[in-house]
Amino acid sequence: MSDELKTAAWRKATKSGSDQGNCLEVAPLSGGRVGLRDTEAPERAPFVVSASVWDAFIDGAKKGEFDF
């Protein structure tokens, strides 16, 4: 894992609660990229997406595209 990912400012949603279960953490990275990792397995390599992919995801979430 790169030094940038090891020292990234990982955070999770405040509504996730404190039990650490079923949560994702995100971290801003250089070049506008965003890291995504499982709170239950922070030692695993995170996914890293480009700024445009992250922006599209956030836009879709705000529009309810992922609601069931």
Side-chain angles (χ1 to χ4, degrees), residues 2 4 13-15 19-20 24-25 28-29 35 40-41 44 47 53 60 63-64 66:
S2 76
E4 182 179 20
T14 55
K15 292 188 178 188
D19 64 358
Q20 301 294 322
L24 289 177
E25 294 177 315
L29 303 171
E40 294 178 350
R44 288 188 177 167
F47 291 99
V53 169
K63 292 177 179 175
F66 310 112

Side-chain angles (χ1 to χ4, degrees), residues 6-66:
K6 289 178 186 175
T7 60
W10 295 97
R11 62 188 174 100
K12 67 176 185 166
T14 55
K15 292 188 178 188
S16 295
S18 60
D19 64 358
Q20 301 294 322
N22 299 322
C23 301
L24 289 177
E25 294 177 315
V26 298
L29 303 171
S30 62
R33 298 171 305 138
V34 175
L36 303 153
R37 72 179 184 185
D38 184 345
T39 57
E40 294 178 350
E43 72 284 355
R44 288 188 177 167
F47 291 99
V48 177
V49 296
S50 67
S52 62
V53 169
W54 183 249
D55 291 344
F57 170 74
I58 294 299
D59 184 57
K62 287 178 179 179
K63 292 177 179 175
E65 292 178 12
F66 310 112

